[in-house]
Amino acid sequence: MDADLDTLATALYVRTDDLLKTFPEHAPARPRVGIAPRLTDAELATLAVMQALLSRTSEARWLRYAHAELHHLFPYLPQQPGYNKRLRALANTLRWLIGMLARDTSLWADDVWVADSTPVECARSRTTVHHSELAGWAEYGYCASHSRWFWGLRLHLLCTLHGLPVGFALAGAKADEREVLLGILDADPALAAGRRGQTVIADKNYYGRAFEADLAAAGITLLRPARAGESPARAPRSSSHYARSSSRSTTPSKANSTWNNTAATPQPGSGSVSSSESWHSPSSSGTTTTSAH
């Protein structure tokens, strides 16, 4: 094992263990009487993060690797069925831990967010579409970037310019991007609390006076490209004001284009930041919600 990865795993385990001891209500419920698991929830969360960091997509192969290379970090490792069962039961805890760990970073206080969505294709053949367990949620949608239709979902992401996820949601392929963004913000009212003057950069599909009014009520300023035929009065200033030095940001390349700046006038932030514990999004009907892990 790499020494730096060992250090990261140790630090992650210590922080996760402290959080679960401080907030035991977020750990999976277990009976008071019974056999305690040999692999703690903190160890399981650390193991899952290391699997993702090392890009191990197969749980069976990952556990074989862990048995051979990580025995000094994890004296006990379950078999694949037990690992999968424990990991599924820990889904809500992991989602909460992601938010808590994100607040430990300096990027969480960034006053500029980026909102967008990307297709998640789930099937191509008609037979698979009819027999998929996602039927009724996944649906046909159009991807303008690839100029084709697809059957599946859309991953909606709200993140900082450096790529730190602030909120995310899975919704039907036809779900309105504006409704999903509002759903992400409504899922945890504390997310925008204390962030008066927060700016959200989005594409031209995030438009509408009612939508902009909802963001303004939350103290969020929307910055987007001007739509075709839109009044110049709707684009009072350039996006270069919000450019940041980030290798993952596309803002500088758009600094000379025409952008719309709508919603409330920025006000000084209060310095209080909260993290959402779960993210929910409306489906295409706008009534059913689901969470993304």
Side-chain angles (χ1 to χ4, degrees):
M1 279 295 297
D2 185 272
D4 291 337
L5 192 58
D6 279 12
T7 303
L8 174 62
T10 303
L12 178 62
Y13 166 75
V14 172
R15 177 59 175 157
T16 301
D17 189 57
D18 289 343
L19 286 172
L20 292 178
K21 289 179 179 178
T22 305
F23 304 97
E25 65 275 12
H26 291 286
R30 291 191 177 90
R32 293 181 178 274
V33 179
I35 301 175
R38 298 176 62 183
L39 186 72
T40 66
D41 293 327
E43 289 177 318
L44 183 64
T46 303
L47 196 63
V49 170
M50 294 181 67
Q51 178 184 352
L53 289 176
L54 296 177
S55 302
R56 304 282 179 160
T57 57
S58 170
E59 290 182 350
R61 293 181 179 178
W62 163 246
L63 289 175
R64 286 198 297 268
Y65 173 84
H67 275 286
E69 302 292 340
L70 306 179
H71 185 72
H72 63 291
L73 294 176
F74 303 95
Y76 170 78
L77 289 170
Q79 297 299 318
Q80 193 273 335
Y83 176 76
N84 182 271
K85 183 178 179 180
R86 288 282 308 278
L87 203 57
R88 288 178 179 273
L90 202 68
N92 290 331
T93 303
L94 285 173
R95 185 167 58 242
W96 171 75
L97 285 171
I98 289 173
M100 295 299 292
L101 293 174
R103 288 194 294 180
D104 288 343
T105 66
S106 59
L107 299 180
W108 182 259
D110 196 347
D111 60 350
V112 180
W113 290 338
V114 179
D116 205 355
S117 67
T118 186
V120 180
E121 188 175 10
C122 299
R124 290 195 175 184
S125 69
R126 184 177 296 273
T127 302
T128 305
V129 168
H130 287 168
H131 293 83
S132 174
E133 295 183 359
L134 294 175
W137 181 30
E139 54 193 356
Y140 284 101
Y142 184 74
C143 177
S145 300
H146 297 86
S147 302
R148 66 180 180 87
W149 292 85
F150 70 97
W151 188 85
L153 309 169
R154 273 190 174 275
L155 173 62
H156 299 258
L157 185 65
L158 182 66
C159 65
T160 68
L161 293 179
H162 290 79
L164 177 68
V166 175
F168 54 93
L170 277 174
K174 295 181 181 178
D176 193 315
E177 292 177 311
R178 298 167 294 182
E179 292 183 6
V180 177
L181 177 58
L182 293 177
I184 292 175
L185 296 174
D186 291 342
D188 183 10
L191 181 63
R195 285 178 176 264
R196 305 296 297 186
Q198 186 75 28
T199 300
V200 172
I201 300 177
D203 59 33
K204 60 183 179 181
N205 292 326
Y206 293 83
Y207 71 97
R209 295 188 182 275
F211 169 70
E212 294 163 4
D214 290 338
L215 291 182
I220 296 177
T221 300
L222 177 65
L223 195 67
R224 62 171 177 81
R227 295 173 60 83
E230 197 166 24
S231 171
R234 298 269 292 161
R237 60 182 176 183
S238 168
S239 66
S240 60
H241 175 73
Y242 298 98
R244 295 290 187 273
S245 57
S246 170
S247 61
R248 306 185 68 174
S249 171
T250 58
T251 306
S253 64
K254 297 180 179 179
N256 296 324
S257 62
T258 302
W259 287 70
N260 277 344
N261 179 15
T262 57
T265 302
Q267 303 175 7
S270 65
S272 173
V273 181
S274 297
S275 170
S276 177
E277 299 175 6
S278 62
W279 305 106
H280 301 272
S281 65
S283 64
S284 58
S285 64
T287 58
T288 305
T289 60
T290 184
S291 62
H293 163 45

